[in-house]
Amino acid sequence: MSDSDFAKPVTYRGGGFKPVPVAWIGAAFLIALVIIAEIGTRTGIISALTLPRPSAVLETFAELYSSGLLWKHLFPSLSRLAVGAFLGAAVGIAVGVAIGLFSIARSALVPLVAAIFPIPKIALLPLFVIWFGIGEGSKYALIAFGTFTPTVVATYGAVDAVDRGLIRMAQSFNVPWWGIVRKIVLPGALPGILSGLRVSLAIAIILLVAAEMLGATYGIGAYILEAGSLYDLERLFAGVTILSLLGIVVSWAIGRLERRLLAWRG
Amino acid sequence: MELHVEGLSHAYGPLTVLDDINLAIRPGQILCLVGPSGCGKSTLLRMIGGLEQPDGGQVLQLSPPPTESLNPLTFIFQDFALLPWRSVAGNVALALEHHDLSAGERDGIIADVLARTRLSDFADVLPRQLSGGMKQRVAIARALAVRPAVMLMDEPLSALDAQTRELLLDDLVGLWTRTPFTAVYVTHNLDEAVRLGHSIAILSRRPGRVREVLDLDMPLEGRSLSDPKLAKARDRLWESMREEAQTADRELADV
């Protein structure tokens, strides 16, 4: 280079477009929001009718806990969630794998699932009561039905995305059909199935409240609905917070499961 | 085991990809299939191995496969086709699990083939931790484990960089020299073909036809491209392919 007077470093123009999770930012942001709400309601900038005071919600929650009512509400909800979501996810995965493997299942069920998916399951509440009675059966059914459709769609998408090269390889080694399904299709579809479960289980929590509209005395959903009809915002928020925490726990559990089962992804 | 390809033809819709292919795959020898991209050489290999059905003609097995062979026609793929969730040993085991072998026999075979491909120290490693060359050696170990009668290799070195390719080529020559095997080796790389082929079949571009078969009567071991005889063979192949490759390059990819 002869123009040595000009020498300057090349301007950096790469980088960006690569968001990474920053530790504690999530929690800090949430806490900041709560603090703003607390200050707002204490100073009167936000009226008590608009938003309950976070500290009052916490008190309500503490009361709920000390009176022992928390477990009385939480236990039936958790068992409904567990039974309903398990049924829905299990049948959903089975049907999704069948759609991914068999032409007839695919042709028959894909339109059916597309037709069922957009129906708000809550609209079918009366039907579920007729079919399964007013007891636990209809609650399980509602949650299972709501979990089923997103699980099916995620599962057959995941089966479709399994590397056909691996299947052809297994065929070239004469691996029997069932062996190919068990050793290649299912493990290959697992990442997609698990990320589908994240969505399905969140939907299951949403439907828990709907299910408990069906004459449940105890349950988080029943608790929220009762508070709502009385415009008791503190109790409403205490109940909603429990659902949020439930969502976080489920998502964390799936995260753990992914790290265990999908360690090979690195 | 000897295989004959007889009058094989295939079309994808209106597009003829293979037209009246006749080839002899001789026992204990490596047949290289070379041709410009899109000439159907990989399709032909899949038909020889029973992974695809030709529209016309047939692939004949001239003798029953040796009884000790677990999987007579065994593939090695360009993209390795390793299960990412299984370790090196687990990937080899996949080819053996459905055969009637005791756990001890199976472990013995796995240990043996990993030793032959110099992978013994990596038995418990996952594929993502391996370099491309090592991945292909795992695939070769898996193929050896089922004691193939014919190895069907679909551009096994094409996904590797030049240095690794050279090393693996030496490995393949070494494996063959120790125990000669029968193989069909598909490649677009003429250097690989003249290093490994006992005979080299040149396919023309679409529709794929056998343009000529060149026999190379030299021992595999010690073949070097600096050998004038080999260089001459390579140049002859290139002359024969050049025009085809040029035309193929200008064709629109609409398959």
Side-chain angles (χ1 to χ4, degrees):
Chain A
M1 279 299 277
S2 51
D3 243 344
S4 58
D5 290 350
F6 178 73
K8 72 178 183 87
V10 171
T11 321
Y12 176 63
R13 51 190 172 169
F17 299 100
K18 201 182 164 192
V20 289
V22 184
W24 301 114
I25 291 284
F29 183 66
L30 217 64
I31 290 168
L33 277 182
V34 171
I35 289 173
I36 290 171
E38 181 73 27
I39 294 171
T41 44
R42 270 183 194 275
T43 54
I45 296 173
I46 305 170
S47 84
L49 273 176
T50 322
L51 200 71
R53 209 149 35 116
S55 55
V57 174
L58 194 69
E59 272 164 40
T60 317
F61 192 80
E63 223 176 272
L64 191 66
Y65 179 77
S66 57
S67 68
L69 274 174
L70 178 64
W71 297 114
K72 229 171 175 169
H73 285 298
L74 203 53
F75 182 73
S77 285
L78 286 181
S79 61
R80 279 163 200 155
L81 195 65
V83 173
F86 176 78
L87 283 176
V91 178
I93 290 171
V95 171
V97 170
I99 291 177
L101 290 177
F102 306 110
S103 309
I104 291 186
R106 168 167 303 237
S107 317
L109 295 173
V110 169
L112 182 70
V113 169
I116 294 174
F117 208 162
I119 300 175
K121 309 299 176 288
I122 305 167
L124 299 178
L125 264 183
L127 194 67
F128 283 122
V129 173
I130 296 168
W131 285 356
F132 304 103
I134 192 80
E136 294 298 298
S138 55
K139 295 174 183 63
Y140 295 154
L142 183 72
I143 295 171
F145 203 46
T147 320
F148 169 75
T149 34
T151 309
V152 171
V153 173
T155 304
Y156 83 73
V159 173
D160 287 352
V162 171
D163 186 353
R164 299 294 122 165
L166 293 181
I167 294 178
R168 194 185 300 144
M169 178 276 293
Q171 288 175 327
S172 83
F173 282 99
N174 276 335
V175 178
W177 184 87
W178 174 238
I180 293 179
V181 173
R182 206 161 45 87
K183 294 173 188 170
I184 290 161
V185 174
L186 291 181
L190 197 59
I193 294 176
L194 283 179
S195 65
L197 272 188
R198 268 178 201 281
V199 178
S200 327
L201 293 184
I203 291 176
I205 296 175
I206 294 175
L207 286 173
L208 180 65
V209 179
E212 291 178 349
M213 289 165 90
L214 285 168
T217 342
Y218 291 108
I220 304 299
Y223 178 78
I224 291 173
L225 289 170
E226 191 196 315
S229 56
L230 297 172
Y231 279 83
D232 186 342
L233 290 191
E234 277 94 19
R235 287 175 63 194
L236 183 86
F237 267 72
V240 168
T241 308
I242 296 174
L243 292 183
S244 289
L245 291 176
L246 209 56
I248 292 174
V249 168
V250 165
S251 154
W252 172 84
I254 293 183
R256 284 298 297 264
L257 208 61
E258 280 178 338
R259 243 172 301 157
R260 255 189 78 97
L261 296 176
L262 308 178
W264 50 269
R265 288 199 300 192
Chain B
M1 192 169 74
E2 189 161 357
L3 294 176
H4 275 186
V5 179
E6 293 182 346
L8 200 88
S9 302
H10 193 68
Y12 290 124
L15 198 73
T16 310
V17 282
L18 293 171
D19 187 24
D20 192 28
I21 305 276
N22 292 289
L23 284 171
I25 296 147
R26 292 192 289 259
Q29 296 204 351
I30 300 177
L31 167 69
C32 288
L33 291 177
V34 295
S37 54
C39 72
K41 49 193 191 298
S42 293
T43 309
L44 174 59
L45 191 73
R46 287 201 290 271
M47 286 169 179
I48 295 173
L51 286 181
E52 249 180 87
Q53 267 186 318
D55 290 343
Q58 57 185 348
V59 181
L60 273 187
Q61 240 170 271
L62 294 192
S63 56
T67 43
E68 78 272 11
S69 174
L70 296 173
N71 189 49
L73 303 174
T74 299
F75 276 86
I76 292 174
F77 299 94
Q78 180 178 356
D79 60 359
F80 324 128
L82 300 179
L83 302 182
W85 49 85
R86 283 192 180 215
S87 67
V88 166
N91 266 286
V92 177
L94 178 83
L96 300 170
E97 282 163 1
H98 55 284
H99 290 289
D100 195 16
L101 297 168
S102 71
E105 280 176 299
R106 196 160 69 201
D107 292 346
I109 294 175
I110 294 172
D112 172 52
V113 293
L114 290 185
R116 278 158 73 191
T117 46
R118 289 175 287 114
L119 287 166
S120 304
D121 294 340
F122 304 96
D124 300 321
V125 169
L126 286 172
R128 75 180 149 89
Q129 297 163 281
L130 299 175
S131 69
M134 283 172 83
K135 283 182 194 161
Q136 195 56 292
R137 268 159 47 205
V138 177
I140 293 170
R142 178 176 62 190
L144 293 173
V146 291
R147 294 188 284 259
V150 181
M151 293 250 245
L152 304 169
M153 307 197 241
D154 189 3
E155 307 219 18
L157 307 185
S158 297
L160 306 174
D161 61 73
Q163 290 90 333
T164 317
R165 197 178 304 173
E166 202 58 44
L167 291 174
L168 223 66
L169 208 52
D170 291 340
D171 281 354
L172 286 175
V173 170
L175 279 173
W176 189 90
T177 314
R178 263 173 279 142
T179 11
F181 52 84
T182 315
V184 184
Y185 187 103
V186 165
T187 181
H188 59 258
N189 185 320
L190 294 178
D191 294 349
E192 288 172 25
V194 294
R195 286 278 303 279
L196 279 176
H198 294 96
S199 52
I200 300 166
I202 307 168
L203 294 189
S204 64
R205 85 196 149 77
R206 273 201 314 267
R209 291 195 183 98
V210 179
R211 216 182 137 106
E212 65 169 302
V213 181
L214 185 78
D215 285 315
L216 269 183
D217 201 10
M218 297 162 73
L220 283 195
E221 204 178 18
R223 277 192 194 183
S224 149
L225 288 176
S226 51
D227 183 340
K229 207 173 146 199
L230 217 57
K232 226 179 97 197
R234 191 200 173 284
D235 289 344
R236 251 206 62 212
L237 286 170
W238 176 231
E239 271 319 305
S240 172
M241 259 184 76
R242 186 193 193 100
E243 212 179 312
E244 302 277 354
Q246 260 170 357
T247 326
D249 185 48
R250 266 183 252 116
E251 263 167 12
L252 291 176
D254 55 353
V255 203

